Structure formats: structure tokens, C-alpha cells
């Protein structure tokens, strides 16, 4: 398999992200090399302009503020109800993408011993990560208690799993600022954070989620034909 010319991270802020290194770690398993890139972009227009200067194929994970605007700005499909992507691939000049936020969250929860199929999740916020997590969590059969943060959780495929009240097994504040921002305290047996700062360890839930969503991106978008050759989450975390 021939890899891209470059792989890395796009959005703002991104300097704290270990994603380019994650690409290289999986690449080592598959015998693929590429140049690591950080495409700091404040808008999808800014990203498109900077990406046009990068030769060859590109694989990137994208974060705020690109997730919402990438589908319309690049003409890529996004999961129903989520309306955002966090993984992008340019191959022979054509963009494609997917969203692995929710899949990564579910995998990280299983890694710490929380079974989404029988657990209730309290979510604060309604942005792209919240919608992706709600979609993945509900598809596993789990229930959701939604709390309004900067915006409410919109209607979507998860509607049938929403509870008005109840006790949460797990809570997450998806309005916490990126790069290690503090979470609002929420009711639940256990609260996790998906915001990580530079130097965060593989023991941090946010890094576990990032690693898991990265592996899902390879399986679904970057190299689906070689998913059986990739490391599992535990193996991957030991390499970070």
C-alpha cells in the first residue's frame, strides 16, 4: 500500500496534539512513511488555501473550527445527524471524510471498564463531538441524559435513547475548552474529560479517546483493507 505524502492535524489550537505522531506509529506497523504536518487553520477557507500548497495526498485529523464546515466546504459526506467530520483524506485531489469522535469515545469507555450497552451517559453540550458521541452511544444501546451547555443537543438518531432524568453511570462535559480546559462538574458515578493539554499521558481518558478515534479512522478511511494488521488500543497506547 502506498501512503500519502503528508499526514497530521488541522484546526486551531493544534500545537498540543500528538496526532501526527499517532499517524507515524500506525504507519510503522504497516510499513508506511509520510511527512508530519500541522495545518493551523482558523476557517475552512484558510485550511483549503494552506492545503493547496501541500503536494501529494494528505491524511489529516481535524478539530475545531473545521469539523462543522468541512462537509460543505470540501463536499464530503458526514454521518446522519452528526453533520461534521473529524477525519479528512485528499486522494488524487478528491476529498473524503468521516467522523470517529463517537466511536473513539465508546472504545475508550470500554477500555476503562464502562460498557456503553448497559450504561447511562450524561452529556453537557450539543456540538459536533456531542452529536457524534450521542450517535455512537445510542447505537450501542446506551441511554443519554442531555444537559444544555453552550447549545442544546439537537434532535437526531439518538432521540429514542434520551432520558429526561435519572442517575448517570458516566458524565462528560463536551463544552470544556480544548488544550486542557476545565470541565464543569456533572452528576454521575464517574466523570471523564475529552480535553487534553500538551504532555498529557496515555493514562488520561482524553488521550485514550484520541488514540481510539485515530485507529477507527485508519480502519474506516485511511487504510480499511489493512485493518487486521493494525495495533489494538492497548498496544497503541503503550507506544505513545
Amino acid at each position: 500500500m502506498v501512503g500519502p505524502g503528508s499526514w497530521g492535524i488541522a484546526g486551531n489550537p493544534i500545537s498540543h496534539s500528538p496526532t501526527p505522531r499517532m499517524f507515524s506509529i500506525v504507519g510503522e506497523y504497516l510499513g508506511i512513511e509520510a511527512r508530519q504536518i500541522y495545518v493551523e487553520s482558523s476557517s475552512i477557507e484558510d485550511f483549503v488555501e494552506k492545503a493547496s500548497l501541500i503536494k501529494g495526498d494528505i491524511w489529516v485529523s481535524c478539530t475545531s473550527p473545521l469539523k462543522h464546515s468541512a462537509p460543505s466546504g470540501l463536499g464530503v459526506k458526514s454521518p446522519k445527524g452528526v453533520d461534521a467530520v473529524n477525519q479528512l483524506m485528499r486522494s488524487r485531489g478528491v476529498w473524503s471524510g468521516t467522523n470517529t469522535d463517537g466511536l473513539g469515545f465508546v472504545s475508550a469507555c470500554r477500555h476503562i471498564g464502562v460498557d456503553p450497552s448497559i450504561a447511562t451517559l450524561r452529556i453537557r453540550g450539543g456540538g459536533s463531538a456531542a452529536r457524534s458521541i450521542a450517535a455512537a452511544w445510542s447505537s450501542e444501546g446506551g441511554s443519554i441524559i442531555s444537559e444544555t451547555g453552550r447549545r442544546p443537543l439537537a434532535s437526531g438518531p439518538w432521540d429514542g435513547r434520551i432520558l429526561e432524568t435519572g442517575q448517570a453511570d458516566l458524565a462528560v462535559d463536551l463544552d470544556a475548552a480544548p488544550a486542557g480546559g476545565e470541565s464543569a462538574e456533572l452528576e454521575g458515578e464517574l466523570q471523564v474529560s475529552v480535553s487534553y493539554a500538551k504532555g498529557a499521558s496515555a493514562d488520561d481518558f482524553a488521550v485514550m479517546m484520541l488514540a481510539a478515534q485515530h485507529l477507527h479512522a485508519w480502519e474506516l478511511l485511511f487504510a480499511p483493507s489493512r485493518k487486521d494488521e493494525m495495533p489494538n488500543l492497548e498496544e497503541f497506547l503503550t507506544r505513545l
Side-chain angles (χ1 to χ4, degrees):
M1 175 183 175
V2 178
S6 305
W7 54 30
I9 183 75
N12 186 29
I14 55 173
S15 62
H16 64 293
S17 176
T19 295
R21 171 165 165 71
M22 289 184 174
F23 270 111
S24 295
I25 290 173
V26 179
E28 288 175 10
Y29 273 85
L30 304 184
I32 302 171
E33 294 183 355
R35 182 171 66 98
Q36 293 186 5
I37 55 172
Y38 290 78
V39 187
E40 188 167 328
S41 310
S42 57
S43 66
I44 191 62
E45 293 79 13
D46 186 27
F47 172 74
V48 169
E49 181 179 353
K50 290 178 177 176
S52 69
L53 302 177
I54 301 173
K55 296 181 179 180
D57 293 345
I58 302 172
W59 297 355
V60 292
S61 296
C62 64
T63 184
S64 178
L66 305 181
K67 290 182 182 182
H68 297 91
S69 53
S72 59
L74 297 174
V76 301
K77 292 183 179 180
S78 60
K80 182 180 179 181
V82 177
D83 301 324
V85 297
N86 72 327
Q87 310 291 342
L88 290 168
M89 178 172 70
R90 188 182 72 190
S91 178
R92 299 181 180 180
V94 178
W95 288 100
S96 57
T98 192
N99 194 306
T100 60
D101 276 332
L103 294 173
F105 184 84
V106 164
S107 293
C109 286
R110 287 203 168 98
H111 186 71
I112 64 171
V114 177
D115 184 353
S117 68
I118 58 173
T120 297
L121 173 66
R122 187 183 301 276
I123 293 178
R124 179 175 182 264
S128 61
R131 297 194 301 274
S132 183
I133 289 171
W137 193 269
S138 61
S139 72
E140 294 289 330
S143 299
I144 298 167
I145 301 171
S146 175
E147 287 196 8
T148 300
R150 290 195 299 268
R151 73 198 85 173
L153 181 66
S155 178
W158 47 84
D159 287 352
R161 303 303 304 174
I162 296 291
L163 304 177
E164 294 299 323
T165 61
Q167 178 63 38
D169 301 289
L170 187 70
V172 60
D173 177 13
L174 295 168
D175 279 345
E182 291 189 10
S183 298
E185 189 171 339
L186 303 174
E187 290 186 8
E189 291 293 324
L190 174 68
Q191 181 165 350
V192 296
S193 172
V194 299
S195 182
Y196 62 92
K198 189 171 185 177
S201 78
D203 294 328
D204 292 333
F205 181 87
V207 176
M208 295 178 194
M209 175 182 165
L210 183 70
Q213 70 185 38
H214 188 74
L215 291 174
H216 283 295
W218 280 80
E219 294 169 358
L220 295 174
L221 182 65
F222 302 132
S225 65
R226 301 188 65 181
K227 62 181 180 180
D228 292 337
E229 302 173 55
M230 296 175 198
N232 60 36
L233 180 55
E234 185 172 353
E235 292 169 336
F236 189 42
L237 288 170
T238 64
R239 298 288 298 273
L240 289 177

